Amino acid sequence: SQEKVVELLLAHEQSDVLDRNDCNISALTYACEANDENITALLLSHQSAGPLEEGAQMEVCESVSEDLLSPEDAAIVEETTLELRLSDPSASSLKCRLLGLSWRGEAFSGTDAARDSTGVYLWAASVITARWICEMKEELRGKSFCEIGAGCGLPSLAAMAFTDAQVVLATDSFKHSLENLRINMQLNEGPATSGRMQIEKLDWTDESSWPSAESFDILVGSDILYDHEQVDSICRVANHLLRRAGGKFLYAAPPHRDGSTLLISSMETLGFKHEVREAPERFYENPLPSEQQLEMYLSDLAGRDCLLHTFSR
């Protein structure tokens, strides 16, 4: 039986029910999604399902929907809150909540951002961008900052907590990402940062959802391009939102995403100057309390292949 197979697997000393596969989903999440109470109970009884190491908390939710038509209809079946240290050991850490959803379909679908569920996870490019933002503290003083396709919002959280940016706006269009952004903001607000960050829905393909023209000095995106059909929307959003005098679009991503070359040429056609460099080696340092958590939640950081693009007016 399936239960017997699970029991045999759990008997192995290296079994970990919280370990995630390449799709960032754990055995515990799969059991919840299958709505199998017996196997879920077996997994929860295993020692690896106990409290995670210091810096992370997990809750497994009971509500699971089947035969979903959209990831927006999915239930949250797993919650993890990580603590990340982006700079030197003496600096404060940031809390970042990630989600597991009861959605078994594609993580994204063409240019439909409302169906893009990738933002409920944490990706290496987001850590790289957040560290980039921390090192731009002086440049961001008094500036207006906006992140598009923010997902968990780590770069925006870094701008709120570690810079003196006058305005910090984190945007997304996926329902669960927007709700999670609000929680992540609340997890990191303090007396000095309360009220400094805002959350808004922004759909690249829907101009009615865009803030006013020339509203921002700095626009940020972390690995948000994975289909060449998205390029036009991203460029139009950047051209609309950035100030004509000195506006900058900061974009961090691996080098071979579909549409990367087109993004560069399209932004240059709009009059932006383009500069690119490799992310410094220090940006790849483990931000989590342990190597185990790094392997579990940010394994793509080991790729060390992120490029930092600056598009400036």
Side-chain angles (χ1 to χ4, degrees), residues 15-45:
S15 294
D16 187 345
V17 304
L18 303 180
D19 194 16
R20 299 179 183 225
N21 60 16
D22 291 340
C23 296
N24 211 35
I25 300 176
S26 69
L28 194 53
T29 297
Y30 278 121
C32 289
E33 291 176 355
N35 206 21
D36 192 315
E37 295 181 3
N38 293 332
I39 290 181
T40 299
L42 280 173
L43 296 175
L44 287 172
S45 67

Side-chain angles (χ1 to χ4, degrees), residues 221-278:
S222 300
D223 201 9
I224 56 175
L225 174 63
Y226 38 78
D227 189 320
H228 68 275
E229 293 184 358
Q230 298 173 300
V231 170
D232 181 64
S233 296
I234 293 173
C235 291
R236 289 193 303 110
V237 167
N239 192 46
H240 174 84
L241 293 181
L242 284 171
R243 300 192 195 283
R244 294 289 181 255
K248 289 184 179 180
F249 175 34
L250 309 179
Y251 177 60
H256 303 302
R257 290 288 188 253
D258 183 25
S260 295
T261 302
L262 180 59
L263 175 68
I264 294 170
S265 62
S266 298
M267 290 293 286
E268 289 177 336
T269 298
L270 290 170
F272 287 85
K273 296 178 182 178
H274 174 242
E275 297 178 359
V276 63
R277 62 187 174 100
E278 294 183 354

